[in-house]
């Protein structure tokens, strides 16, 4: 961003502010350049660059991607309005004449208009109210058109942008940025997943019903000991079982990777997750990942508290299995809505027994009076007090949390209020 602003200053951007017409075009240029820069940053945030993924985690990156996206969009609107008005002030053709002149006579502008329409569409469908009305798959497909919008907008920057045409430094900077963004997407979103899927040749080995709404799938593959994955992480999965298999779904590993198999456990929420139950042994699986920051590598303390609710138990089950621990180091609190909804409990008990970890399964309806990580029948006890009853020295723990969004917020609040510094709280959200 600093480089972009510096290039604008060195191109006479500040001096141009002295007169109305040139001031408008100058502001238009600056906002256009910053908008492009943010657009590329937006792409980079989602390019699955390993260092960036490890640092922020995908849920946080998605949040920032959204914020950067809306900022870029707003600046793009200012860019269009300011440039058009700036040219109109100094031209004899008036506002409409200038607009027509722009679109028809300036190189790359027709493509840029088409790109703008695409970006407007993508942005509107990303506004929360609109997004809620769309199926996730439809929204995601529309969202991918942002790449098209970006591609269509590029030529006008190259062919009509003052910076590009007058400054060699700016030209090199922008080309490098565009090329780096494209390379990152091709390497980490396309190349690496394809390479890993081909290398490890995952096939479904076993499909097991945990109950009538949750399925576990075990996959076998080649050279899985070479895959740099840890318990607590997740992959984007595509099972090649017929139409619709091109859509990827994220699922965490529900067992520690053992170098021969990978295992997931999924609740049937919609079409994608429900069809896991009908997978047949031998079905090929493609995958992207591993992703996620919920693993041993982020741990900073000996003692660990694993807090899970609902299907959020999957990465916690894997962590309980893999974490390096002495007897008593690890405590797991598993919150379930009902006896029927509890899953993997036998495995959890066996693991806790074997690893000398403490396991608490807290079952019951959600509290109605206040947002709480506890069930209704604990309503008389405060969230922090109850936590301290389960784990008296909770303040000295690293805490890993995964579950439904509202529950996670309540759990995180209780943990922090109980004295755990925020940097020792590690979270994975199952919804962005
Ligand atoms: C990091 C991460 C790890 C997850 N791990 C597990 C797990 O171990 N077990 C489990 O049961 N669930 C997990 N989920 C949730 C799971 O991905 C969704 O429940 C599933 O994709 C729903 O798809 P569907 O077609 O069945 O439902 P739909 O009805 O299509 O979608 C229901 C909701 O799921 C979300 N969703 C759908 N598709 C995707 C997608 N491709 N990417 C992100 N969100 C999506 C959307 O919020 C949507 O509103 C995880 C999600 C994330 C983000």
């Amino acid at each position: 961003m600093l480089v972009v602003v510096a290039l604008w200053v060195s191109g006479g951007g500040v001096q141009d502010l002295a007169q109305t017409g040139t001031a408008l075009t100058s502001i238009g240029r600056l906002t256009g350049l910053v908008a492009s820069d943010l657009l590329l940053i937006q792409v980079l945030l989602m390019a699955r660059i390993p260092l960036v993924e490890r640092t922020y985690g995908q849920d946080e990156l998605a949040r920032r991607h959204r914020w950067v996206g809306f900022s870029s969009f707003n600046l793009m609107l200012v860019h269009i309005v300011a440039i058009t008005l700036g040219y109109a002030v100094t031209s004899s053709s008036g506002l409409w004449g200038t607009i027509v002149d722009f679109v028809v006579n300036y190189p790359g502008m027709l493509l840029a208009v088409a790109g703008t329409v695409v970006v407007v569409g993508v942005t509107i469908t990303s506004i929360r109210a609109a997004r809620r009305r769309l199926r996730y798959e439809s929204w995601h497909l529309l969202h991918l058109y942002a790449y098209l919008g970006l591609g269509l907008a590029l030529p006008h920057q190259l062919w009509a942008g003052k910076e590009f045409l007058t400054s060699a430094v700016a030209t090199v900077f922008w080309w490098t940025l565009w090329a780096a963004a494209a390379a990152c997407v091709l390497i980490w979103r396309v190349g690496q997943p394809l390479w890993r899927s081909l290398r490890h040749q995952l096939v479904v080995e076993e499909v097991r019903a945990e109950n009538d709404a949750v399925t576990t799938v075990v996959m076998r593959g080649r050279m899985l000991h070479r895959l740099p994955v840890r318990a607590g992480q997740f992959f984007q999965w595509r099972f090649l079982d017929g139409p619709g298999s091109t859509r990827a779904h994220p699922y965490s590993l529900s067992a520690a990777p053992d170098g021969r198999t990978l295992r997931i456990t999924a609740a049937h929420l919609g079409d994608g997750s429900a069809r896991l139950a009908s997978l047949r042994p031998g079905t090929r699986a493609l995958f992207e990942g591993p992703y996620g920051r919920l693993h041993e590598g982020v741990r900073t303390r000996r003692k660990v508290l694993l807090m899970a609710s609902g299907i959020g138990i999957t990465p916690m089950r894997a962590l309980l299995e893999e974490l390096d621990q002495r007897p008593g180091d690890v405590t797991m609190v598993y919150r379930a809505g009902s006896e029927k909804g509890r899953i993997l409990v036998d495995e959890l008990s066996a693991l806790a027994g074997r690893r000398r970890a403490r396991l608490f399964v807290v079952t019951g309806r959600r509290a109605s009076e206040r947002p709480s990580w506890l069930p209704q029948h604990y309503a008389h006890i405060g969230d922090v007090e109850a936590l301290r009853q389960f784990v008296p020295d909770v303040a000295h723990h690293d805490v890993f949390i995964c579950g439904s969004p509202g529950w996670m917020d309540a759990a995180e609040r209780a943990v922090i209020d109980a004295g755990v510094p925020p940097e020792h709280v590690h979270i994975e959200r199952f919804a962005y």
Side-chain angles (χ1 to χ4, degrees), residues 332-355:
M332 174 180 270
V333 176
Y334 172 27
R335 169 87 176 84
S338 66
E339 298 268 335
K340 215 172 133 228
R342 297 192 319 203
I343 54 162
L344 309 176
V345 175
D346 292 346
E347 288 185 8
L348 293 171
S349 304
L351 272 174
R354 207 167 69 230
R355 310 221 61 197

Side-chain angles (χ1 to χ4, degrees), residues 271-324:
D271 307 349
S273 43
R275 70 191 268 178
L276 291 178
S278 51
L279 281 178
R280 294 185 172 282
T283 306
R284 286 284 304 275
L286 305 181
F287 64 97
E288 295 169 39
Y291 304 122
R293 299 186 73 248
L294 205 71
H295 56 72
E296 168 98 58
V298 301
R299 175 182 182 181
T300 51
R301 292 165 151 188
R302 187 77 231 155
K303 295 205 150 195
V304 173
L305 169 61
L306 304 172
M307 292 183 82
S309 84
I311 197 65
I313 191 63
T314 55
M316 298 298 174
R317 147 77 180 75
L319 279 167
L320 179 63
E321 192 176 1
E322 188 182 278
L323 285 180
D324 176 31

Side-chain angles (χ1 to χ4, degrees), residues 136-137 234 236 248-252 265-267 269-274 311 314 428-432:
Y136 179 88
E137 288 85 358
F234 70 94
Q236 294 278 354
H249 290 274
Y251 300 114
S252 306
T265 300
L269 211 68
D271 307 349
S273 43
I311 197 65
T314 55
E428 188 72 80
R429 293 188 190 280
F430 276 8
Y432 309 141

Side-chain angles (χ1 to χ4, degrees), residues 111-413:
L111 292 176
V113 171
T116 306
V117 172
V118 173
V119 171
V120 168
V122 169
T123 310
I124 288 175
T125 52
S126 292
I127 295 169
R128 280 193 210 285
R131 190 177 154 177
R132 267 197 293 272
R133 287 166 181 261
L134 288 169
R135 273 165 53 90
Y136 179 88
E137 288 85 358
S138 319
W139 168 80
H140 190 245
L141 198 65
L142 281 171
H143 208 70
L144 292 180
Y145 278 92
Y147 289 112
L148 176 67
L150 207 65
L152 290 171
L154 173 64
H156 96 285
Q157 195 183 3
L158 300 181
W159 299 334
K162 183 176 161 189
E163 263 72 17
F164 258 82
L165 301 174
T166 54
S167 155
V169 178
T171 310
V172 169
F173 169 78
W174 279 104
W175 268 114
T176 310
L177 207 59
W178 282 91
C184 288
V185 171
L186 286 176
I187 293 171
W188 284 300
R189 290 212 71 153
V190 184
Q192 192 185 61
L194 270 180
W195 156 246
R196 285 190 171 157
S197 289
L198 288 173
R199 184 182 200 206
H200 297 293
Q201 302 275 331
L202 280 189
V203 288
V204 173
E205 184 170 73
E206 187 193 343
V207 181
R208 191 168 67 231
E210 298 296 341
N211 60 30
D212 47 5
V214 178
T215 301
T216 289
V217 180
V218 182
M219 287 150 279
R220 180 172 31 83
R222 292 190 320 182
M223 293 191 287
L224 282 178
H225 59 285
R226 297 268 181 94
L227 186 67
V229 56
R230 313 202 63 173
Q233 291 194 293
F234 70 94
F235 293 87
Q236 294 278 354
W237 302 93
R238 288 183 176 85
F239 292 96
L240 304 184
D241 61 342
S245 59
T246 48
R247 277 180 233 126
H249 290 274
Y251 300 114
S252 306
L253 295 184
S254 62
D258 58 7
R260 289 178 304 104
T261 57
L262 297 175
R263 189 185 105 165
I264 56 171
T265 300
H268 306 172
L269 211 68
D271 307 349
S273 43
R275 70 191 268 178
L276 291 178
S278 51
L279 281 178
R280 294 185 172 282
T283 306
R284 286 284 304 275
L286 305 181
F287 64 97
E288 295 169 39
Y291 304 122
R293 299 186 73 248
L294 205 71
H295 56 72
E296 168 98 58
V298 301
R299 175 182 182 181
T300 51
R301 292 165 151 188
R302 187 77 231 155
K303 295 205 150 195
V304 173
L305 169 61
L306 304 172
M307 292 183 82
S309 84
I311 197 65
I313 191 63
T314 55
M316 298 298 174
R317 147 77 180 75
L319 279 167
L320 179 63
E321 192 176 1
E322 188 182 278
L323 285 180
D324 176 31
Q325 55 192 290
R326 293 182 310 223
D329 278 350
V330 175
T331 305
M332 174 180 270
V333 176
Y334 172 27
R335 169 87 176 84
S338 66
E339 298 268 335
K340 215 172 133 228
R342 297 192 319 203
I343 54 162
L344 309 176
V345 175
D346 292 346
E347 288 185 8
L348 293 171
S349 304
L351 272 174
R354 207 167 69 230
R355 310 221 61 197
R356 302 285 172 82
R358 295 185 315 143
L359 170 67
F360 298 102
V361 182
V362 186
T363 311
R365 272 192 311 118
R366 209 178 274 192
S368 51
E369 294 83 24
R370 59 187 165 103
S372 167
W373 71 271
L374 293 162
Q376 177 71 29
H377 60 268
Y378 276 85
H380 57 288
I381 312 179
D383 274 26
V384 177
E385 194 189 335
L387 190 62
R388 289 211 180 102
Q389 283 184 14
F390 287 119
V391 196
D393 57 345
V394 60
H396 302 292
H397 284 61
D398 255 329
V399 184
F400 291 70
I401 303 177
C402 188
S404 55
W407 180 85
M408 285 176 75
D409 292 341
E412 185 181 9
R413 221 174 13 253

